[in-house]
Amino acid sequence: MILDLEMLRNFYSSYTAKVEQARKTTGHPLTYTEKILLSHLYDQSSLRDFKRGADYVDFRPDRVAMQDATAQMALLQFMNAGKAKVAVPASVHCDHLIRADIGAEHDLPAAKSANSEVYEFLRSVSEKYHIGFWKPGAGIIHQVVLENYAFPGGLMVGTDSHTPNAGGLGMAAVGVGGADAVDVLTAQPWELRMPRIIGVRLSGRLSAWASPKDVILKLLGMLTVKGGTNSVMEYFGDGARTLSTTGKATICNMGAELGATFSVFPFDDNASEYLNRTRRAEVAAMAQSCAADLMADAAVYEAPEQHYDKVIDIDLSAIEPHLNGPFTPDAATPISAMKDKMTTEDFPPVVEVGLIGSCTNSSYQDLCRAASVAKQACDKHIPVKAQLIINPGSEQIRYTAERDGILDIFKSIGAVIMTNACGPCIGQWHRHTDDNTRRNSIVTSFNRNFRRRADGNPNTYAFIGSPELTMALAIAGRLDFNPATDSLTDADGHSVRLDEPVGDVFPPRGFAVDDKGFIPPTDNDTQDINVIISPTSERLQRLAPFAPWDGHDLTDMPVLIKTKGKCTTDHISMAGPWLRFRGHLQNISDNLLMGAVNAFNGESNNVKCQLSGEYMTVSAAAKAYKAAGIASVVVAEDNYGEGSSREHAAMEPRFLNVRAVIAKSFARIHETNLKKQGMLALTFADKNDYDRVREDDRISITGLSAFAPGHNLTVTLTHNDGTSESFEVTHTYNATQAEWFKAGSALNYVLREQQH
């Protein structure tokens, strides 16, 4: 069954004409990114040649996708918007709350029991507002979207940072916070700064142990986690046509690690085949009819340097397997160099666990190639040194892989098959270990490897590789094993080599599934359906609007914390066991900034409260200030808020009366989330001013009466010794975003405008 078929027919019937009008209005050839974005303007009469990296533009996305951890807060906000149904097709996917423990047979029933209150809330709110609902066990949001919803030329938003996964099928898919999703769900304009466009020209063909994962791992090493901020990664070239759709999705998925707004590949025969193989032949036919505009114009490809803001060339035939990490996904190392790096960096050499799956690498092709390596361990009698954990991407993939014997291959070498869910990738892993503080190494096919992320152990060195390399290193049990050159010892003491991985892109007998786990949106009248939230619930809490700005400058605010080094959304609002409170703002606020390093003492979750002079947790200090009617400030370094889209990292400080974050720079999604919740996201005009902030300072932010685009604000530090100093801070607020601050939040502003 093709979902949202009428929407798709309407889209393709008008797409080519909109692109032609955009080409005519701008007066120049169009990149594929421009074609998608300019055909999705909220008001087509506003069409003009927008300035990349500068102009804010209102768009009208085609659909919204939400995973269960973020859907709770998004839908709690939507419920306050006074709408009877969602304005665009939308879906909820229950993939984040399932803990990986013993195996799917045990873990899925356990999750259904433990999370029954949340699942019932999400099911009922989906039914009431006409949203598609994917039950626990149905699969990981981005794999399910790729199989069922993604379509070439479309624009979607999703409340998860890896929403860009759909770019593998030629869709512009953007990770956002829940407040952004509410804009789309309520038919409001969805605002985005027109991104710069980085063209990535691929040539050659991958070979041997190299995989699509290694393309993005190499790019991360080239550009770093900030290299794609406020940009789109648009791939093209002869090499792009050699990659499978799921391989392209892997590359687009991890564009989030570059900070990219989204990543996208042009439509080609592989995309058409993927649509056909996933039973969407009519969508493939409609896309074929628009094929010339589901890629950049020929003139762009002829002179890409004239049309992209930057062009990067990658020869796929020169790519070798990479192992990125630890602690950051841009620490890129070719596997051939790991032997030396492991020694010089003193990495724990033994691989204790190999984990294959996640939204990044859990397709049929991924499992098939990993299984081809696993089978060799069995056939060649090679002892497997590490524990193995497998998370299939969807019930369709799991069912098909089981039918085709792939799961049996994994089991034959001792692998545990977990539920079709995120599991260890997001910290939902009950790791069975002798000591969860011990230094150790694990290898995963995931997308992120921040400290503590997978298992909560700050001394777990997590490395990212392809599924096939992860399998090889798990078999070998060492980080420095290069399967292209090194040998292993079989059970009889003989030296043996692993052959290159192989695997079908599609199952030879087609995909199969008994029950996808999907409840489609109802066509019935739902006004009598009640969404029940117990007032005593520990998991769910109705939202109260944040207070509007009182019209005065923010003065005499203590420094809640001055963070040192990397401060991701994992540091600001940890996942793992805290996921259970994603629908309860008060309870989850207890984890505020608990992973951030305090620049004044080098410790995590230990800050000085200026009211008492005592050291306490960050949330305890914030609560003390709030109880005393005092606002506070967070000070941070570069790329503050890197990582997941979780808006809890913005809502928690707002709830605890943190009024501003002053940073050297921000990650895109988090900066938007702060703005949406009525906070000030401010940037040091001179990064060296960060060093001026002292532990006992009181901070004042003045000039707010004239808060407007391009108008800097002034920060004054009043030191404990009675001296003071001032400096300027900049911001990226446009006129509407400044109104969000004044109204107390973007949702407050929208409701106020509707009432007028």
Side-chain angles (χ1 to χ4, degrees):
M1 177 180 69
I2 299 176
L3 303 177
D4 309 323
L5 183 56
E6 196 58 35
M7 180 270 285
L8 291 165
R9 287 171 175 164
N10 292 335
F11 169 80
Y12 283 112
S13 67
S14 62
Y15 176 73
T16 299
K18 289 180 179 179
V19 170
E20 179 55 36
Q21 184 60 50
R23 191 182 292 114
K24 180 180 178 181
T25 301
T26 61
H28 60 72
L30 300 176
T31 64
Y32 185 29
T33 298
E34 289 173 309
K35 291 181 179 184
I36 297 176
L37 293 180
L38 296 179
S39 65
H40 283 87
L41 296 177
Y42 188 79
D43 179 358
Q44 285 298 138
S45 68
S46 69
L47 176 62
R48 60 184 175 85
D49 196 11
F50 297 102
K51 185 177 180 181
R52 299 178 192 170
D55 289 341
Y56 283 91
V57 185
D58 289 338
F59 294 102
R60 192 187 296 271
D62 299 301
R63 63 169 300 105
V64 175
M66 297 167 278
Q67 42 93 336
D68 50 356
T70 53
Q72 295 172 65
M73 199 59 71
L75 292 173
L76 285 166
Q77 291 176 84
F78 177 80
M79 289 168 61
N80 286 344
K83 301 292 183 179
K85 63 181 296 185
V86 293
V88 299
S91 54
V92 168
H93 304 258
C94 296
D95 64 350
H96 271 55
L97 300 179
I98 302 169
R99 197 178 194 195
D101 183 5
I102 299 172
E105 294 80 5
H106 167 273
D107 297 348
L108 183 56
K112 289 179 178 179
S113 175
N115 303 313
S116 59
E117 179 184 13
V118 173
Y119 291 148
E120 179 56 23
F121 164 73
L122 292 173
R123 186 206 60 75
S124 63
V125 77
S126 295
E127 181 181 9
K128 182 171 182 64
Y129 296 111
H130 303 266
I131 298 169
F133 182 72
W134 294 82
K135 294 183 283 188
I140 304 173
I141 177 173
H142 308 308
Q143 183 62 42
V144 172
V145 165
L146 196 70
E147 293 176 3
N148 296 277
Y149 294 118
F151 61 95
L155 174 64
M156 70 173 287
V157 299
T159 59
D160 189 283
S161 57
H162 291 103
T163 300
N165 190 83
L169 198 48
M171 189 175 205
V174 186
V176 299
D180 273 29
V182 171
D183 284 345
V184 182
L185 294 172
T186 57
Q188 299 297 315
W190 174 64
E191 182 186 71
L192 180 72
R193 181 186 291 179
M194 184 60 76
R196 296 182 179 89
I197 307 173
I198 299 174
V200 184
R201 179 166 45 199
L202 303 179
S203 60
R205 179 183 292 269
L206 294 169
S207 62
W209 284 84
S211 77
K213 183 67 162 280
D214 299 305
V215 178
I216 189 62
L217 295 180
K218 178 180 176 65
L219 259 175
L220 275 159
M222 295 168 64
L223 299 181
T224 79
V225 292
K226 297 184 291 184
T229 303
N230 292 321
S231 299
V232 168
M233 311 297 295
E234 182 176 316
Y235 295 84
F236 66 99
D238 293 340
R241 290 189 285 272
T242 69
L243 302 174
S244 68
T245 292
T246 52
K248 294 171 186 172
T250 292
I251 294 170
C252 292
N253 179 293
M254 283 194 68
E257 274 53 70
L258 293 167
T261 303
F262 62 86
S263 302
V264 69
F265 278 84
F267 178 70
D268 60 15
D269 290 343
N270 290 329
S272 181
E273 183 178 11
Y274 186 82
L275 288 167
N276 278 290
R277 296 284 191 132
T278 52
R279 295 179 288 278
R280 290 178 284 170
E282 186 173 347
V283 182
M286 289 187 286
Q288 286 286 4
S289 71
C290 303
D293 282 322
L294 294 173
M295 61 183 71
D297 286 339
V300 172
Y301 295 145
E302 290 168 3
E305 289 80 7
Q306 296 178 21
H307 300 282
Y308 294 109
D309 295 282
K310 181 178 182 179
V311 175
I312 298 171
D313 280 291
I314 292 182
D315 180 1
L316 297 180
S317 61
I319 294 282
E320 67 171 297
H322 276 61
L323 198 59
N324 285 26
F327 310 134
T328 183
D330 57 355
T333 306
I335 192 63
S336 61
M338 182 53 74
K339 195 179 299 291
D340 290 338
K341 189 169 184 179
M342 186 179 75
T343 302
T344 58
E345 300 290 335
D346 191 30
F347 298 153
V350 176
V351 175
E352 297 194 8
V353 189
L355 302 107
I356 294 171
S358 87
C359 63
T360 317
N361 281 112
S362 56
S363 68
Y364 184 87
Q365 183 183 23
D366 290 326
L367 297 186
C368 205
R369 284 176 64 85
S372 76
V373 180
K375 189 173 187 300
Q376 294 180 58
C378 188
D379 293 347
K380 297 181 180 183
H381 309 291
I382 305 170
V384 178
K385 300 293 180 60
Q387 180 187 6
L388 273 166
I389 292 174
I390 313 292
N391 282 79
S394 69
E395 175 58 16
Q396 177 168 269
I397 288 171
R398 188 213 63 79
Y399 187 96
T400 306
E402 182 175 56
R403 180 202 66 188
D404 293 351
I406 292 172
L407 299 190
D408 285 339
I409 293 173
F410 291 137
K411 292 176 183 177
S412 72
I413 61 169
V416 177
I417 311 300
M418 296 294 184
T419 310
N420 317 315
C422 302
C425 183
I426 57 164
Q428 283 286 65
W429 180 24
H430 179 201
R431 184 176 180 185
H432 299 269
T433 178
D434 59 324
D435 180 0
N436 206 39
T437 63
R438 177 173 50 79
R439 288 177 82 245
N440 73 102
S441 290
I442 65 174
V443 178
T444 81
S445 71
F446 303 163
N447 42 46
R448 292 191 175 133
N449 55 351
F450 304 143
R451 194 184 293 270
R452 295 187 179 92
R453 182 175 173 93
D455 60 3
N457 181 357
N459 297 311
T460 290
Y461 287 58
F463 296 85
I464 303 170
S466 67
E468 46 267 55
L469 182 64
T470 298
M471 179 60 71
L473 297 184
I475 292 170
R478 286 187 62 84
L479 280 178
D480 59 354
F481 175 70
N482 184 351
T485 59
D486 297 345
S487 298
L488 296 169
T489 302
D490 69 11
D492 297 321
H494 301 129
S495 180
V496 294
R497 293 275 296 274
L498 291 174
D499 301 323
E500 295 173 3
V502 295
D504 294 312
V505 175
F506 299 103
R509 291 189 285 161
F511 287 108
V513 66
D514 271 349
D515 179 8
K516 282 188 174 183
F518 177 57
I519 301 175
T522 181
D523 293 326
N524 299 331
D525 183 359
T526 60
Q527 63 178 351
D528 293 333
I529 294 176
N530 292 318
V531 179
I532 300 174
I533 301 174
S534 168
T536 60
S537 173
E538 292 185 349
R539 301 289 299 272
L540 296 163
Q541 180 187 52
R542 290 187 181 272
L543 289 175
F546 292 129
W549 176 53
D550 65 6
H552 298 100
D553 286 332
L554 302 175
T555 59
D556 204 31
M557 298 180 291
V559 178
L560 177 63
I561 184 173
K562 178 179 174 180
T563 70
K564 179 181 179 181
K566 186 186 284 285
C567 192
T568 71
T569 50
D570 274 19
H571 296 91
I572 304 167
S573 176
M574 282 192 175
W578 291 95
L579 283 173
R580 66 190 303 267
F581 297 125
R582 283 288 182 87
H584 198 294
L585 184 55
Q586 180 177 342
N587 284 348
I588 198 170
S589 293
D590 286 343
N591 77 2
L592 177 64
L593 284 155
M594 66 185 302
V597 175
N598 182 354
F600 299 117
N601 59 15
E603 298 180 12
S604 296
N605 212 23
N606 189 23
V607 298
K608 185 177 182 180
C609 175
Q610 292 190 34
L611 298 180
S612 65
E614 298 177 356
Y615 282 85
M616 57 186 67
T617 66
V618 182
S619 64
K623 288 177 184 177
Y625 295 139
K626 181 180 179 180
I630 299 172
S632 59
V633 181
V634 171
V635 177
E637 295 202 73
D638 274 310
N639 211 31
Y640 181 78
E642 171 193 342
S644 300
S645 69
R646 66 191 68 156
E647 66 182 340
H648 300 76
M651 297 186 78
E652 290 177 35
R654 182 72 168 98
F655 178 75
L656 293 178
N657 209 27
V658 178
R659 299 305 307 276
V661 178
I662 308 172
K664 293 182 179 179
S665 65
F666 289 91
R668 176 192 63 84
I669 299 177
H670 187 63
E671 182 179 24
T672 300
N673 286 345
L674 290 170
K675 293 177 180 180
K676 287 279 186 176
Q677 300 306 330
M679 289 185 65
L680 290 174
L682 306 175
T683 306
F684 292 103
D686 179 351
K687 290 186 178 184
N688 293 322
D689 289 336
Y690 166 90
D691 298 321
R692 299 192 191 189
V693 180
R694 304 176 191 174
E695 188 171 29
D696 294 313
D697 281 351
R698 292 291 180 123
I699 294 180
S700 296
I701 301 172
T702 56
L704 287 171
S705 60
F707 187 40
H711 178 83
N712 290 354
L713 300 175
T714 300
V715 166
T716 299
L717 307 177
T718 301
H719 302 310
N720 199 38
D721 59 9
T723 62
S724 64
E725 53 186 319
S726 299
F727 52 82
E728 285 194 344
V729 288
T730 64
H731 64 84
T732 61
Y733 287 72
N734 60 29
T736 300
Q737 293 169 347
E739 291 300 320
W740 297 346
F741 166 74
K742 295 172 184 177
S745 71
L747 186 56
N748 287 358
Y749 171 73
V750 169
L751 293 174
R752 186 185 74 188
E753 293 301 297
Q754 289 176 349
Q755 291 167 1
H756 292 169

